[in-house]
Amino acid sequence: MGRKFFRFFKIFVAFLLLWFTAHSMYLIADGISDEGKNADLAVILGNKVNEDGTLSTRLEKPLESGIQLYKSHRVRKILVSGGLGKEGFYEGDKMKEFLVSKGIPDSDIIIDNKGDNTRKTAENTLELRSKYHFHSLIAVSQYFHVTRTKKLFRDKGFQEVS
């Protein structure tokens, strides 16, 4: 009995390691890939705003990607989404300030300050769809977060996500 269990356990652990490795490789590949598509909207997910009101590097980097998408005419508008952080700042407001300071027109930035998590961001973005008339979007976040973000949008019926 002991040998059979140990053998089963080794096979089970090997399977888990294989699954974890394959899953991690997929998330990384999907998260860092850029299909080069154009879209109506870039949705940039929020992250930490520092206690002094400056943006964390984790927040600044996705915004720089959004700026690049906008300036290369791959998106027409940018939606910034985040909630009220424990530091006392609305992430969306701070993200917009950064974008405007980098030359993105105020009129091309949409703020969602109620996007406390990815699911809420997807729901809030889709509620804005009829007002802003977008049909496609590019999700912008940390590489390990992109696959989940795309899945949440697709689960809500929005198929044109890259």
Side-chain angles (χ1 to χ4, degrees):
M1 176 89 169
R3 285 186 176 180
K4 285 183 181 180
F5 175 77
F6 185 66
R7 191 169 165 181
F8 170 78
F9 184 73
K10 284 181 13 181
I11 292 170
F12 181 73
V13 169
F15 173 77
L16 281 178
L17 287 173
L18 179 64
W19 176 86
F20 178 78
T21 302
H23 184 73
S24 297
M25 289 172 57
Y26 175 80
L27 288 176
I28 292 168
D30 188 45
I32 64 173
S33 68
D34 180 359
E35 301 164 9
K37 292 183 177 181
N38 292 345
D40 298 324
L41 185 69
V43 176
I44 305 175
L45 282 75
N47 210 310
K48 184 180 184 336
V49 175
N50 297 319
E51 291 179 9
D52 64 357
T54 60
L55 304 182
S56 66
T57 303
R58 292 183 313 224
L59 184 52
E60 203 170 293
K61 294 300 180 185
L63 289 167
E64 290 170 356
S65 294
I67 291 167
Q68 185 178 11
L69 288 168
Y70 183 86
K71 290 189 174 181
S72 65
H73 305 288
R74 289 186 51 201
V75 297
R76 292 185 296 118
K77 292 194 178 289
I78 297 175
L79 183 141
V80 290
S81 181
L84 177 62
K86 64 182 178 185
E87 299 80 13
F89 300 100
Y90 281 102
E91 294 168 6
D93 291 341
K94 288 296 185 178
M95 293 164 76
K96 181 176 181 173
E97 286 176 19
F98 180 84
L99 292 173
V100 169
S101 76
K102 299 295 183 178
I104 305 299
D106 178 80
S107 59
D108 287 341
I109 303 168
I110 304 164
I111 300 176
D112 167 24
N113 273 326
K114 295 183 180 177
D116 294 333
N117 58 51
T118 310
R119 185 176 311 280
K120 286 183 183 175
T121 294
E123 291 168 357
N124 298 344
T125 300
L126 295 177
E127 286 177 14
L128 295 168
R129 190 175 184 183
S130 61
K131 180 177 181 180
Y132 292 101
H133 310 289
F134 56 87
H135 303 286
S136 57
L137 64 87
I138 296 174
V140 182
S141 187
Q142 289 78 23
Y143 75 90
F144 56 85
H145 201 215
V146 170
T147 301
R148 180 173 183 269
T149 303
K150 293 187 321 188
K151 181 182 180 333
L152 285 169
F153 273 101
R154 289 184 180 128
D155 287 351
K156 299 285 182 188
F158 196 90
Q159 297 304 311
E160 294 296 318
V161 182
S162 57

